[in-house]
Amino acid sequence: DSSAVKGDMGDVDTETPPSYSAGLAIVYLEARRGAVGNTILYELPKNDGGGKWEVAGINDRYHPEALADLRAMRPDRREAYAARYIEEYTLKYTKLDQVALREGTRFFVLDTTFNRGAGGSAMIVQQALKQLNHSVIMDGKWGPQTRGQLAKADGETPSLLLQKLRDSRESYERNVVGYRQNLWGGMVNRWDQAHKIAENKNNAYHF
């Protein structure tokens, strides 16, 4: 599944890094690819929750306009469009561009936001921060306190923070969204891959 707020390229903030490295990493995790490597249209399982069709996680339930654009364009142009859309969309709701974060931490939180929406990702981040004894209110909202405490944890214990974020993501899925047997193995693998990518990005990152 992906995010719980409808969006399109017309309602996103375009002031983001030109490389869209987080968006590209999310597309890498989300996309199904054809024989020549281009992202393809994929029919979702009935209990996915994201509608019927998607391209790189951009589905017809929450992102109908963006999916329509992707379906209409040449397959070799989809990846760049999807990366930009995902990064701008998730930054709009989290405003993580307002704080200094390691690249991997930023990616992991934006990936969480794309999958679980702004409210879900805020709860996941707040739960992880609580477990690390940071002062946050569990209100499911992205605000200055949550962003500030996230940046503080990222500066102090980045690897531990990523592990807590990964564990919190699984806990949220099981306890809030609900366990779905046919999807669970794939989701666990997805979270583990995102965690590994985030660690690698952080290890290569310097303020």
Side-chain angles (χ1 to χ4, degrees), residues 81-149:
Y81 177 103
R84 177 183 173 183
Y85 175 83
I86 290 168
E87 188 154 339
E88 293 179 354
Y89 175 83
T90 53
L91 281 175
K92 176 183 178 181
Y93 292 104
T94 59
K95 295 182 170 57
L96 291 188
D97 50 349
Q98 295 182 3
V99 292
L101 293 174
R102 287 173 170 80
E103 185 178 351
T105 304
R106 178 179 179 274
F107 149 72
F108 195 89
V109 176
L110 294 184
D111 183 52
T112 303
T113 304
F114 186 57
N115 282 163
R116 280 289 148 244
S121 73
M123 288 295 291
I124 289 165
V125 168
Q126 288 162 356
Q127 180 180 333
L129 291 172
K130 278 282 190 184
Q131 292 174 353
L132 293 171
N133 297 315
H134 286 268
S135 178
V136 290
I137 299 171
M138 296 284 293
D139 60 1
K141 296 179 181 179
W142 279 101
Q145 183 186 34
T146 297
R147 285 190 292 272
Q149 290 299 308

Side-chain angles (χ1 to χ4, degrees), residues 132-172:
L132 293 171
N133 297 315
H134 286 268
S135 178
V136 290
I137 299 171
M138 296 284 293
D139 60 1
K141 296 179 181 179
W142 279 101
Q145 183 186 34
T146 297
R147 285 190 292 272
Q149 290 299 308
L150 176 64
K152 184 179 179 182
D154 183 51
E156 295 174 351
T157 55
S159 186
L160 183 58
L161 171 63
L162 282 179
Q163 184 60 59
K164 292 296 184 183
L165 288 169
R166 191 269 174 242
D167 293 346
S168 181
R169 198 165 172 176
E170 181 167 349
S171 174
Y172 181 90

Side-chain angles (χ1 to χ4, degrees), residues 27-45:
V27 170
Y28 168 79
L29 291 170
E30 288 281 352
R32 269 74 171 181
R33 298 183 184 275
V36 296
N38 293 324
T39 59
I40 61 171
L41 185 68
Y42 172 73
E43 187 171 7
L44 294 165

Side-chain angles (χ1 to χ4, degrees), residues 171-183:
S171 174
Y172 181 90
E173 194 73 26
R174 185 181 291 277
N175 298 319
V176 178
V177 180
Y179 177 80
R180 292 168 292 176
Q181 185 175 9
N182 66 313
L183 301 177

